[in-house]
Amino acid sequence: MSDTFKRSLDIPGVSHGGAPIPMGARVGPLLCSSGIPGVDPATGQLPASAAEQARHAFANLKAVLAAGGATLADVAKLTVYIKDNQAREPINAEWLACFPDPHDRPARHTLVYDLQHGMWLQLEVIAYVKADQRDATP
């Protein structure tokens, strides 16, 4: 890996409420995220609807991947935490937009979790950055 490559990955406009936690980290070919919220990076605010949070969460997922030199094609597993089952439909819509081929999707696990502060959902990703991307500085 390049000496200039950053281990911690961040997204402008999205944070963990002031906690010293990056959005993700990349170590060699492995990219793992922290909880990726559905915060609108333009405003830093969490929209009220599950659909808007899902849209922003998947956009933020793509931003974390890009910060680590990866794309959706590099995703091995996505874990989705939801406040309740009402969030499943908008999540599935974003999921299908990102991974339309039923024979080329990453593993996915969805858990109902007591998310706080108005969050409907949160994403966690594990991605494997291909050999030809490993030394690239995003």
Side-chain angles (χ1 to χ4, degrees):
M1 219 168 18
S2 167
D3 291 337
T4 60
F5 196 88
K6 303 287 188 217
R7 174 184 175 121
S8 294
L9 308 173
D10 292 298
I11 306 170
V14 181
S15 71
H16 289 285
I21 303 167
M23 280 291 122
R26 183 174 144 192
V27 178
L30 185 64
L31 186 154
C32 298
S33 76
S34 301
I36 302 171
V39 169
D40 179 347
T43 65
Q45 301 298 309
L46 191 65
S49 77
E52 280 298 298
Q53 286 188 31
R55 186 174 67 80
H56 287 298
F58 277 85
N60 293 338
L61 165 67
K62 292 175 195 173
V64 169
L65 292 168
T71 68
L72 289 172
D74 301 310
V75 174
K77 182 180 181 188
L78 187 68
T79 302
V80 182
Y81 296 91
I82 57 174
K83 179 74 173 174
D84 65 43
N85 283 317
Q86 293 178 38
R88 284 186 189 269
E89 188 175 325
I91 290 166
N92 285 339
E94 296 298 327
W95 169 262
L96 291 172
C98 289
F99 307 106
D101 184 347
H103 303 290
D104 189 23
R105 291 183 181 143
R108 177 177 144 186
H109 188 62
T110 302
L111 303 162
V112 176
Y113 188 78
D114 187 24
L115 296 168
Q116 304 294 309
H117 312 294
M119 278 191 282
W120 279 97
L121 63 118
Q122 211 173 49
L123 308 176
E124 279 185 12
V125 69
I126 298 172
Y128 182 84
V129 184
K130 295 178 196 81
D132 60 346
Q133 296 169 295
R134 288 187 198 159
D135 292 327
T137 301

